[in-house]
Amino acid sequence: MPLNLGSFRPDQRKQARDPTDAAHDYGEDASVEQPAIQLFGSLGWETANLYHEWAGGSSTEGRDSQKQVVLEARLRSAVERLNPDLPHGAITQVIDEVTRDRSRMVPVNANHELWRLLREGVKVKVTTPRGGQEIKTARIIDWRDPTANDFLLASQVWIKGDMHTRRPDLIGFVNGMPLVLVELKKPAVALKSAYDANLTDYRDTIPHVFTPNAFVILSNGIDTKIGSTFAPWQFFNEWKRIDDEGEKGVVTLETVVRGMCDPARLLDIVENFIVYEEERSGLIKKVAKNHQYLGVNRAIIEVIRAKDRPEGEAGRLGVFWHTQGSGKSLSMVFFCQKILRTVQGNWTFVIVTDRQELDEQLYKTFLATGAVTNTEAHAESGAHLKQLLSADHRYVFTLIHKFNTRDGAAYPKLSNRRDIIVITDEAHRTQYDTLALNMRNALPNAAFLGFTGTPLMAGEERTREVFGDYISVYNFGQSIADGATVPLYYENRIPELQLTNDALGDDLAALLEDADLDEDQARKVEREFAREYHLITRDDRLDAIAADLVRHFVGRGLRAKAMMICIDKATAVRMHDKVRAEWIVYQQQLDAQLASASAAERPALEAQIELMASTDMAVVVSQSQNEIKELEAKGLDIRPHRKRIVDEDLDEKFKDPKDNLRLVFVCAMWITGFDVPSCSTIYLDKPMKNHTLMQTIARANRNFPGKEAGFSVDYVGVFRNLQKALAIYGGGNTGSSEPPIREKSDLVEYLRNIMAA
C-alpha cells in the first residue's frame, strides 16, 4: 500500500479525529504519522498506539514499568519459539542477559554488546540428561526467515528516565527489542529540529531506549534522514533508492520505510550493514549508506552466481566503482562480513593494493572494525605471501608487487580453491597487467572483484578482462547530490607562471603517474625534462607561490587543514622552507595592520594572527638511500624532517582536527588512500592526470562540520583541459555530465545570485 504523499500537505494537517482521542494522542501531526503507521502495517508490521498503554492500571504490553524499553513478553515468546529445545531456566537466562542494566557502560559500548548478542546469540548453561553441563547458543532473532520474528510498530510509547518521561513518536520492536526509533515533525517544520529539539533530548533523558537501537529515522514527511544510534547531525544521511542504484533518487519517508524497514531489509541492515569502528576517541557506530547497501548486495548476487560457474570459466565478479570519499573501505568490510555470515563456503579474501599507504589504510579499517584480528594475515614478502595463500587464512592482505617473479618466470599455482575472492583496490592501475596474470596463475579458480574510486578510462579495457564489467556505480555527481561528499572547486592562482608546453603536462604527468618515484625515476625526471623541471622548481617561481600560499591559507574562512603537493622530495623540503620564511613576513605585516586597525577590523586580524601563531607545518616524504647527501647537494637538510616523521605520529596529528598540524608538504605520500575529513584545501604544483589527479584532489571532498566544499589551488596548470580530460569522471556510463570539479568562479557567481535574491 503506497504512502499517500498528498496527506503530507500542510493545508491538510488538521484532520478530524474521534473526540475521545485527545489531540495529544499524537506527538506530531497525524498527517505524517498516520500514513507512516499504515505503511509499516502494509509491510507486515503489527501496529499499536500505546498512548493509553497504562489506562487500565497495568501495561497492555506486559511492561513492569515505564522504565522498561524491552517488551519482555514478546522477547520471551520469540526466544521460546526460536529455541524449542531450551528449558525454561535457560530461556530466563537469555532474558536476564539481554535486559540487564548496562547504564554504567559507555553507551556505544553497551549498544555494541547488545548488537553482538542479537547477531551471535546468547550463550547459556544447560544441564544434560546425565546431569552434566553444556553451553548452548540461544537465538534471539531468526536472521534467515523474517516471518519467524515478531514485528511491532508502536506509536506514542511512554518511556521514563531517571528524572524525565518522554514519548517518542514511533518505535519499531523486533521480538520485543526496540531496534528503530522514528521521530516526526510537521511538514512546515525544519527537519533538523527533530534532531535538535527531540533526539538530543532523548539521548539525555531516556538513554536506555538507545541501548538496543539499530538506527534512527527523522522525518517531516518531506525531508527524511537516517543515522546511526549516536550519530551527530552531520552524519545523518538520505536514503533515496529502494531496490537499485539506477533508480531516480527520491527523498521521502516512504522511500526510507520501504527501503530500510521492510522486515527482510531491516534484518539485513542490522545483521550485515552495521559496524563499530575503533578510533582514538573510542568506538564509533556506523550504519551503511544507501549506495553501500545497494552496491554490496549487488556484488553478493554476483558471488552467488559465480559459485555455480562452469569449470574452467574465470571468476569475474565485476568492477565496483564508488567515487573517492564515499566509504569504499567500509563497503569492502560489509561485503566480506556478509559473505562469511550468509553465503555457504570456507571463504578466503585476498585484499590487494598497489600502494603501501593504501595497504595499511585498508588493513587498519578491517582491524578497527573487528573484521580481522589475525596479524599474520599481512604478507611481509613474496615468500610469506605464498605461504599465506597455500594455507587456509580467512583474510590475506598484500601489495600486488609481491606477486612478482624473477626474470618474468611464470608464477606457481598455489591453490585450486573456488572459494577464494581476490579484491583489488584501485583495480585499474597495475592490477590488470603482468601481475594480474600472476594472480590468475596462483589462484586459477578464484573470483576477482575490482574496487575503484575512479572509473575505467580509454586504454583500460584489460581491467574488464580480469574483473568484468561494472556491477555497481556511484559516481561523483551522485555522491555530491546525496551529501556523501562535498563539492570540489578549483582556481588558478598564478597563471603567468603556468607551463606553456601543452604536451608537457601529459608527458611529465605520465612519468609521475607512479606517484612515489624511486631514485632512478626522480633522476629521469630531472634529466629528460631538464628545462621543464627547472621551470617548475626555479627559485623566483617557488618564492611567488610561497607568498601566495601563505596569504591564501590564512585568508580562508574555515580553519581547515591543507596539503601542498610538490613535484618531488627536494621541492617539498624547499617549499616548506620558503613558506616558513614568508610566514614570518606576513605575520609581521598583519601585526603592523593590527596596530592601526579600526575596532571593526580588529577581530578578523586578531583571528588570522592567532591562526598563524598556532599553526604547525611539516614535510611528509618517503625515505630513500643517500637522501641526506643528495639533498645537501641541493642546499637542503632533510634530517629535521626525517626525525619528525620517525619520532612523531604525523598522520594521526594531521587527521586530528584539533591538532595544530594544519599544513603538510608532500610529493607522493598521503595523496591516495589517506582520509582526513578536516582537509579542505589542496595546493597543486605537480603535473598530474587521470586517476592520480582525481585521487589527489579528492583528499578535500570528505564531509566535515562547517566544510561546505573542498578547494584545489592550481599552480601548475593541471586543470587546463579539465572538461576534455576529466569529463568521464562525472558520469562514466550513467549518463551524468557533471564534472568532478568546477571553477571557483562558478561558486562566486552562485553566491552573487543568492545575495541578489
Side-chain angles (χ1 to χ4, degrees), residues 102 247 258 320 336 352 355 361 525 596 623 747:
R102 291 176 171 84
E247 295 172 20
R258 289 190 182 279
F320 192 102
C336 296
V352 183
R355 299 278 196 273
Q361 183 239 329
V525 169
S596 58
Q623 281 199 55
L747 186 60

Side-chain angles (χ1 to χ4, degrees), residues 26-144:
Y26 299 105
E28 280 306 326
D29 196 276
S31 64
V32 177
E33 185 172 307
Q34 288 306 296
I37 293 171
Q38 291 165 20
L39 179 57
F40 272 92
S42 74
L43 295 175
W45 290 69
E46 178 187 348
T47 63
N49 184 331
L50 297 186
Y51 185 85
H52 297 299
E53 177 189 359
W54 300 85
S58 61
S59 164
T60 56
E61 280 295 329
R63 288 198 292 166
D64 292 337
S65 73
Q66 290 183 347
K67 276 200 166 186
Q68 275 191 345
V69 295
V70 175
L71 305 182
E72 288 190 20
R74 289 177 183 265
L75 175 61
R76 180 176 292 276
S77 174
V79 174
E80 288 173 347
R81 186 171 64 253
L82 297 176
N83 305 276
D85 297 335
L86 285 184
H88 177 79
I91 300 291
T92 300
Q93 283 183 55
V94 174
I95 306 300
D96 290 345
E97 175 58 18
V98 170
T99 60
R100 71 177 173 82
D101 183 13
R102 291 176 171 84
S103 60
R104 293 181 180 274
M105 296 177 67
V106 174
V108 68
N109 292 356
N111 184 269
H112 183 218
E113 182 175 279
L114 206 46
W115 174 77
R116 291 188 66 175
L117 291 176
L118 292 179
R119 284 177 93 229
E120 313 300 336
V122 180
K123 304 288 186 188
V124 290
K125 288 182 179 178
V126 177
T127 303
T128 65
R130 294 185 177 182
Q133 294 241 304
E134 65 175 340
I135 302 294
K136 288 199 171 185
T137 301
R139 294 190 299 162
I140 302 171
I141 290 176
D142 188 327
W143 298 106
R144 302 294 159 258

Side-chain angles (χ1 to χ4, degrees), residues 730-746:
N733 62 354
T734 64
S736 169
S737 59
E738 184 71 15
I741 183 167
R742 302 170 68 174
E743 285 196 62
K744 185 181 174 184
S745 57
D746 291 353

Side-chain angles (χ1 to χ4, degrees), residues 278-316:
E278 189 70 58
E279 297 186 2
R280 291 182 109 182
S281 57
L283 274 185
I284 304 292
K285 180 181 181 180
K286 298 179 180 180
V287 177
K289 295 174 183 173
N290 191 194
H291 63 274
Q292 293 172 314
Y293 175 75
L294 293 173
V296 167
N297 277 334
R298 183 71 189 83
I300 287 175
I301 290 172
E302 289 300 310
V303 171
I304 295 169
R305 180 196 60 76
K307 276 187 73 179
D308 300 323
R309 69 185 183 275
E311 196 69 37
E313 181 184 305
R316 297 186 184 94

